[in-house]
Amino acid sequence: MKFLKNKTIMITGGTGSFGNRCAQYLLKNNVKKVIIFSRDELKQSEMAIKFNSPKLRFLLGDVRDRERLKLATKKVDIIIHAAALKQVPTCEYFPYEAVQTNIIGAHNITRAIREGQTPVKLAIGVSTDKACKPINVMGMTKAIQERIFIESNLNMPETSFVCVRYGNVLASRGSVLPLFQEQIRTGGPVTITLKEMTRFLLTLNQAVDTIFAAVRGAKMGETYVPKAPAARILDVAKILIGDQDIPIEFSGVRPGE
């Protein structure tokens, strides 16, 4: 695609399911370089072997470290900020850790762009449906991340800051589908919090498509929200179980849910 030609794109938290699919998409286009910025050295090594591309570069670092981000962004055109703590119960138990990654990390991205005199023209913050009327720490911190990104348009007119907000990505790392599949493989039970529990569901490809719709057409300060179907988790479990004799157990609502 023309808007990606000869561009250097950095993906923070880029070793996850989204980062892998996003890198795959970018490397098929005529980009100059894809930088994976994350703190997981093992997954970086595995990703390097998987893609084996001279256009793919890996930087070890944490979004909590602003000085490291200043170095990482010096020659970057587009930032896709996907690094986050996103497990709802984990954020409930360790709220300040969520603050440091989801809020201070976003702030560090914006300051690195401003103070490092980088060529970054577009920064996209990956957010969540839980940022809408948040009732848990993960949603609260993501809502503030959105505000930090959008507010940055006021004092950095040379860079467009936009957000993308979507729901649960099917089969992504830490999502419910791999959990259900493993529970089914071992004979169950399949555990569900409540029979009424619902989620907005997207495929990994739909999540990536939403990001690049924003890359292609978003204006300063916009938040992209894809149309996503809602599904009962109980129905998802029943589809996966099929005709197998696998029991379902209801475990109750988790902290922050």
Side-chain angles (χ1 to χ4, degrees):
M1 293 186 180
K2 290 182 179 180
F3 60 90
L4 294 173
K5 186 175 181 181
N6 295 324
K7 295 291 192 298
T8 295
I9 298 99
M10 184 173 86
I11 309 170
T12 69
T15 54
S17 304
F18 167 81
N20 270 263
R21 188 60 58 88
C22 192
Q24 182 183 42
Y25 177 96
L26 289 167
L27 292 171
K28 288 180 180 178
N29 288 275
N30 197 19
V31 298
K32 181 178 181 181
K33 188 185 299 181
V34 178
I35 299 172
I36 302 297
F37 182 93
S38 79
R39 60 184 184 181
D40 195 325
E41 59 178 334
L42 175 60
K43 284 190 168 55
Q44 285 192 3
S45 177
E46 292 171 345
M47 200 170 171
I49 294 168
K50 173 183 173 181
F51 286 101
N52 189 28
S53 171
K55 291 185 177 182
L56 196 57
R57 186 183 176 198
F58 297 88
L59 294 180
L60 202 61
D62 196 314
V63 292
R64 299 182 182 189
D65 185 346
R66 188 166 66 251
E67 294 304 316
R68 181 63 175 140
L69 281 171
K70 283 183 183 180
L71 291 173
T73 56
K74 279 193 175 295
K75 296 182 180 180
V76 171
D77 299 299
I78 299 170
I79 294 175
I80 300 172
H81 176 45
L85 292 183
K86 60 181 183 178
Q87 295 292 318
V88 169
T90 301
C91 292
E92 290 298 300
Y93 285 122
F94 307 105
Y96 187 59
E97 297 302 314
V99 167
Q100 290 189 91
T101 297
N102 296 353
I103 297 177
I104 297 174
H107 181 60
N108 286 340
I109 292 280
T110 63
R111 284 192 61 178
I113 293 171
R114 182 174 69 247
E115 297 173 4
Q117 297 180 327
T118 68
V120 176
K121 295 300 181 186
L122 174 64
I124 295 180
V126 179
S127 189
T128 170
D129 58 336
K130 296 175 182 66
C132 180
K133 296 183 180 178
I135 62 168
N136 52 47
V137 172
M138 199 275 269
M140 293 172 191
T141 54
K142 280 294 193 174
I144 295 173
Q145 172 191 301
E146 290 183 7
R147 304 305 192 278
I148 289 169
F149 258 56
I150 300 308
E151 183 269 343
S152 296
N153 287 290
L154 298 176
N155 53 33
M156 282 182 274
E158 298 301 315
T159 303
S160 290
F161 290 87
V162 302
C163 292
V164 169
R165 180 194 289 174
Y166 49 70
N168 292 58
V169 179
L170 290 166
S172 63
R173 187 173 68 176
S175 70
V176 74
L177 253 64
L179 172 63
F180 284 175
Q181 288 169 332
E182 178 61 21
Q183 289 175 335
I184 292 167
R185 187 187 68 80
T186 56
V190 171
T191 55
I192 299 173
T193 53
L194 293 176
K195 66 173 67 175
E196 300 87 2
M197 192 64 71
T198 63
R199 288 289 184 271
F200 292 106
L201 300 177
L202 294 91
T203 66
L204 201 50
N205 284 338
Q206 287 172 325
V208 172
D209 287 345
T210 304
I211 292 291
F212 286 101
V215 171
R216 183 169 54 247
K219 298 180 176 63
M220 281 184 171
E222 288 189 327
T223 298
Y224 271 49
V225 183
K227 291 182 179 179
R232 287 198 314 162
I233 297 302
L234 177 59
D235 293 335
V236 174
K238 286 180 177 179
I239 289 169
L240 291 173
I241 292 170
D243 296 330
Q244 301 175 77
D245 185 19
I246 304 289
I248 293 175
E249 288 186 0
F250 297 99
S251 58
V253 177
R254 301 177 301 171
E257 209 164 27

